[in-house]
Amino acid sequence: MSRVMILTRHAKSSWDDTLLDDHDRPLNKRGRESAPAIGAWLRAQGWLPDEVLSSSATRTRETWDRMGLQADTKRFTRALYLAEPEDMLAELTTASGGTVLMLGHNPGISEFASRIVAQAPRHPRFHDYPTGATTVIRFALTDWTQISWHSGTVLDFAVPRELLE
């Protein structure tokens, strides 16, 4: 049996209100266009989550909402806000879904992506993980508690800019 993780960095956020707390920043125009593109790409490929683990930040919640996907279970947690890779791994071990979409932030998400896969895709943007970057990764395990570093196989990778061209 296997499990699949869809790892998505939030779409582009707005810096218009310099007084707004970072946790509360919404998406900007480009982000509001990119999130639906990622959602449409996932639907077209058949990569549909049954569980979402997300940072509680406004920009990750808005990214999820604008992706236009559905999931049986959704958890928005402060633990994934600007989380380190080890914290992201710990959150993933609490998942129960067969396909889990995890939404987070850089710099942690780019390091997490690099460390969780056995071999990185050849895409030039994988290691810096730009806003909206999404990787679909399969793991040969029956339960998320068995997850370990360098164990995932990349099935697909996309960045919104390429989807919108």
Side-chain angles (χ1 to χ4, degrees):
M1 187 163 178
S2 65
R3 297 276 190 238
V4 172
M5 176 178 58
I6 302 166
L7 185 64
T8 302
R9 182 177 173 199
H10 65 80
K12 190 77 172 161
S13 59
S14 174
W15 290 88
D16 289 346
D17 186 347
T18 58
L19 300 178
L20 197 61
D21 183 72
D22 180 70
H23 188 271
D24 299 329
R25 281 191 297 113
L27 298 181
N28 68 11
K29 182 178 186 271
R30 191 170 104 201
R32 291 190 303 271
E33 293 168 355
S34 296
I38 286 292
W41 173 77
L42 287 168
R43 269 191 307 284
Q45 306 307 312
W47 302 120
L48 301 173
D50 48 30
E51 183 174 2
V52 174
L53 299 176
S54 176
S55 159
S56 59
T58 299
R59 59 193 179 272
T60 53
R61 287 177 177 271
E62 191 176 352
T63 298
W64 167 251
D65 289 343
R66 289 181 175 275
M67 288 171 80
L69 302 173
Q70 301 295 319
D72 297 331
T73 305
K74 296 180 278 286
R75 187 168 20 143
F76 297 90
T77 175
R78 188 89 182 198
L80 287 173
Y81 173 64
L82 302 179
E84 295 293 325
E86 292 77 14
D87 300 320
M88 295 178 74
L89 187 69
E91 283 297 314
L92 187 55
T93 66
T94 70
S96 59
T99 300
V100 175
L101 187 144
M102 182 177 274
L103 259 163
H105 310 265
N106 254 353
I109 200 167
S110 62
E111 185 179 342
F112 180 81
S114 293
R115 290 175 59 189
I116 201 67
V117 300
Q119 183 174 1
R122 295 183 184 262
H123 195 285
R125 298 303 308 271
F126 179 75
H127 291 289
D128 69 323
Y129 230 77
T131 53
T134 300
T135 309
V136 181
I137 308 164
R138 176 173 284 134
F139 299 91
L141 44 87
T142 57
D143 188 274
W144 287 109
T145 60
Q146 301 167 332
I147 192 95
S148 61
W149 296 122
H150 309 292
S151 63
T153 301
V154 175
L155 301 176
D156 222 335
F157 177 78
V159 293
R161 185 168 296 230
E162 294 171 355
L163 300 175
L164 293 169
E165 291 177 346

